[in-house]
Amino acid sequence: MLADATAAATPHALARALPEGFVLGTATAAAQIEGATTAGDRTSSVWDRFAAEPDRIIDGSDTSRTADHYHRFAEDIGLMRELGADAYRFSFSWTRVQPGGSGGLSREGADFYDRLLDRLHSAGIRPFATISHWDLPVEYPQGWLDRDTAQRLGDLAGLLGERFGDRIDSWITINEPATVTLNGYALGLHAPGHSLLFDALPTVHHQLLGHGLAVQALRAAGVPGRIGITNTHSPVIPASDSPEDHAMAALFDLVHNRIYADPVLLGRYPEAPDFLGDALAAFDEVPSEDLAQIHQPLDFYGLNYYMPTLVAAGAGEGESPDGTSAAMADLPFRLLAFEGVPTTGFGWPIQPAGFARALTEMQERYGDVLPPVYITENGASFPDEVGPDGTVDDTERVAFLRDHLAAALAAVAPGGPAEGLDLRGWFVWSLMDNWEWAAGFTQRFGLVHVDFTTGERTPKSSFRWLQQLIAARAEAR
Ligand code: FCB
């Protein structure tokens, strides 16, 4: 188990610990907030389709309205301004900007992002744009199982780079390829809903290739903004000292973390342990030209952190952090709950020390070749409600955010275990409550509460906390 520090940092103490130029921001993704799925010529994404299938989304909800950001973006940027945030990470809805997934940009779709970007600029907020945050067009027959989808991502990046390049501070090619492969193709918990276990592995390579092609397309379009990728990193803890548990923890670390970061940062896939037989053999045969495409110089690395993972040998019982998957019973390992560790509304373990560990692993593994790092997501869901006085007192989220930011800053500070890692910013997931994929509207992650019936926004205590931190930073300068 990882030991968490207990002293609570005040906003002033945290503000003093922020490195010069450190970016404080919030993050969202199109499918989770925009709604307006039939506006203009927008077509269906795999998440629209997945949500329409029976029993896929826990509360039977869908993408059609979510937080109605498409119509309320001006109000939402007003909230960011009130917060004082430096930056905003959003994603382009693929099927809004490129209906059907082919051809040029949609006029109406691109207009929406023009309006969003212009407003962010007038509010003095730096846009960090994710090109692919999970919402592939339904027209790609096998999704990321097809190699051709990589080329499609590259093409889209080129179009977006040409159109919006002058206004985007930082580009993220693809969000959390690990979650897409694990939840979407291996365990059937996310769109497109396949339960292929190890046969999902081609989606790793195709997403990474898509990333590499997107980087090259953005550079060819001459974008002045910086370019990176985002993955979610979870430090993996073996459940015991047994060699079996250690071997399975190493395997989970490989398929969750290293199989993505190694090719992107080192230009090679990690070596598979012998006991896996030929389950990862395809990676030994990847042509060196593909690895060269994937291994592009990056301006930054985006790291999302939510929780560590406890792994034991032996068949799974079907429980993953994102839901129950029968397919897990066929895996050689299982994921366990940490005993005595508090959890979020999602049941995810709250372990700031895991955040420090994730950063330390990045520094140890990639050290000199690691570009500057941004925490592109960090946050927690709790069952927040608007109280009788009209406020939302989410003290647990305040503690979560405070302790996680403190742990990350301490880890990279001189003498810290991740010293040398150039940490440049932290984005809270999320600006506002939104549609949490297969969990529908049951998990609230926002700094701002959203009434999903009326659309009304109410800043929570955590919003006030971040506002205070940003104000304290301005005073400390
Ligand atoms: C991440 C996703 C993001 C959000 C958070 C809670 O895996 O990138 O869209 O759902 O989890």
Side-chain angles (χ1 to χ4, degrees), residues 292-307:
Q293 303 266 26
I294 293 170
H295 186 210
Q296 295 295 315
L298 294 182
D299 302 309
F300 67 92
Y301 190 90
L303 186 145
N304 292 353
Y305 174 78
Y306 287 95
M307 66 193 129

Side-chain angles (χ1 to χ4, degrees), residues 40-199:
D41 47 2
R42 185 190 180 282
T43 52
S44 280
S45 78
V46 291
W47 272 97
D48 301 339
R49 181 179 63 190
F50 187 70
E53 293 169 9
D55 302 328
R56 293 296 204 180
I57 311 299
I58 197 165
D59 57 2
S61 60
D62 62 35
T63 50
S64 58
R65 195 175 135 90
T66 61
D68 199 25
H69 171 77
Y70 184 82
H71 298 112
R72 292 174 173 260
F73 72 93
E75 182 183 349
D76 294 335
I77 294 172
L79 286 162
M80 293 175 215
R81 196 175 188 160
E82 193 184 327
L83 185 64
D86 305 313
Y88 173 52
R89 175 179 176 224
F90 70 100
S91 80
F92 287 103
S93 156
W94 192 322
T95 60
R96 191 182 302 291
V97 286
Q98 192 191 37
S102 58
L105 292 184
S106 148
R107 190 182 55 75
E108 205 161 342
D111 279 355
F112 169 68
Y113 293 101
D114 272 334
R115 292 197 296 277
L116 179 82
L117 289 169
D118 290 347
R119 199 147 194 128
L120 285 169
H121 274 260
S122 31
I125 297 165
R126 289 158 63 177
F128 279 54
T130 308
I131 298 174
S132 175
H133 197 127
W134 302 2
D135 52 356
L136 279 191
V138 294
E139 285 77 7
Y140 304 162
Q142 294 294 314
W144 287 111
L145 289 165
D146 279 335
R147 186 180 168 95
D148 187 48
T149 302
Q151 190 58 54
R152 304 304 188 109
L153 177 58
D155 294 347
L156 176 64
L159 292 170
L160 295 174
E162 277 164 26
R163 170 75 183 239
F164 301 108
D166 55 335
R167 282 163 292 161
I168 288 183
D169 182 281
S170 301
W171 295 86
I172 292 161
T173 53
I174 191 165
N175 176 70
E176 294 196 359
T179 310
V180 171
T181 296
L182 291 172
N183 284 346
Y185 292 85
L187 300 177
L189 294 168
H190 281 180
H194 298 307
S195 302
L196 298 169
L197 297 180
F198 284 99
D199 290 338

Side-chain angles (χ1 to χ4, degrees), residues 114-436:
D114 272 334
R115 292 197 296 277
L116 179 82
L117 289 169
D118 290 347
R119 199 147 194 128
L120 285 169
H121 274 260
S122 31
I125 297 165
R126 289 158 63 177
F128 279 54
T130 308
I131 298 174
S132 175
H133 197 127
W134 302 2
D135 52 356
L136 279 191
V138 294
E139 285 77 7
Y140 304 162
Q142 294 294 314
W144 287 111
L145 289 165
D146 279 335
R147 186 180 168 95
D148 187 48
T149 302
Q151 190 58 54
R152 304 304 188 109
L153 177 58
D155 294 347
L156 176 64
L159 292 170
L160 295 174
E162 277 164 26
R163 170 75 183 239
F164 301 108
D166 55 335
R167 282 163 292 161
I168 288 183
D169 182 281
S170 301
W171 295 86
I172 292 161
T173 53
I174 191 165
N175 176 70
E176 294 196 359
T179 310
V180 171
T181 296
L182 291 172
N183 284 346
Y185 292 85
L187 300 177
L189 294 168
H190 281 180
H194 298 307
S195 302
L196 298 169
L197 297 180
F198 284 99
D199 290 338
L201 287 169
T203 65
V204 174
H205 188 58
H206 299 154
Q207 289 185 90
L208 295 181
L209 199 55
H211 154 74
L213 295 171
V215 174
Q216 293 172 71
L218 289 169
R219 296 228 159 95
V223 304
R226 294 160 317 146
I227 305 172
I229 186 174
T230 280
N231 201 18
T232 176
H233 282 251
S234 181
V236 183
I237 319 292
S240 78
D241 286 338
S242 77
E244 292 78 14
D245 285 351
H246 272 260
M248 287 303 151
L251 171 60
F252 192 78
D253 181 32
L254 190 113
V255 297
H256 193 283
N257 303 311
R258 295 187 45 212
I259 214 168
Y260 302 92
D262 282 17
V264 166
L265 296 169
L266 304 174
R268 57 168 189 265
Y269 278 104
E271 257 178 54
D274 290 343
F275 65 82
L276 265 191
D278 58 6
L280 294 184
F283 289 102
D284 297 336
E285 288 145 30
V286 165
S288 57
E289 306 85 78
D290 279 14
L291 285 166
Q293 303 266 26
I294 293 170
H295 186 210
Q296 295 295 315
L298 294 182
D299 302 309
F300 67 92
Y301 190 90
L303 186 145
N304 292 353
Y305 174 78
Y306 287 95
M307 66 193 129
T309 309
L310 187 65
V311 172
E317 285 159 20
E319 287 298 324
S320 101
D322 294 296
T324 305
S325 162
M328 287 195 82
D330 295 325
L331 288 173
F333 57 79
R334 62 210 150 96
L335 310 183
L336 303 180
F338 288 88
E339 269 178 44
V341 172
T343 55
T344 69
F346 230 147
W348 296 354
I350 301 175
Q351 284 240 273
F355 196 4
R357 169 79 71 104
L359 291 166
T360 305
E361 286 177 354
M362 290 305 287
Q363 184 60 13
E364 285 171 358
R365 290 174 185 182
Y366 308 111
D368 293 347
V369 302
L370 184 64
V373 172
Y374 286 87
I375 305 308
T376 40
E377 289 180 29
N378 181 217
S381 64
F382 292 105
D384 310 307
E385 278 173 29
V386 182
D389 62 351
T391 65
V392 184
D393 195 13
D394 58 338
T395 41
E396 287 175 292
R397 183 173 294 97
V398 171
F400 182 100
L401 295 174
R402 179 196 63 207
D403 296 348
H404 279 74
L405 179 58
L409 293 173
V412 302
E419 179 176 4
L421 186 145
D422 183 2
L423 187 64
R424 296 270 179 99
W426 180 68
F427 290 75
V428 174
W429 184 272
S430 179
L431 172 67
M432 57 193 163
D433 294 341
N434 57 52
W435 190 73
E436 178 47 38

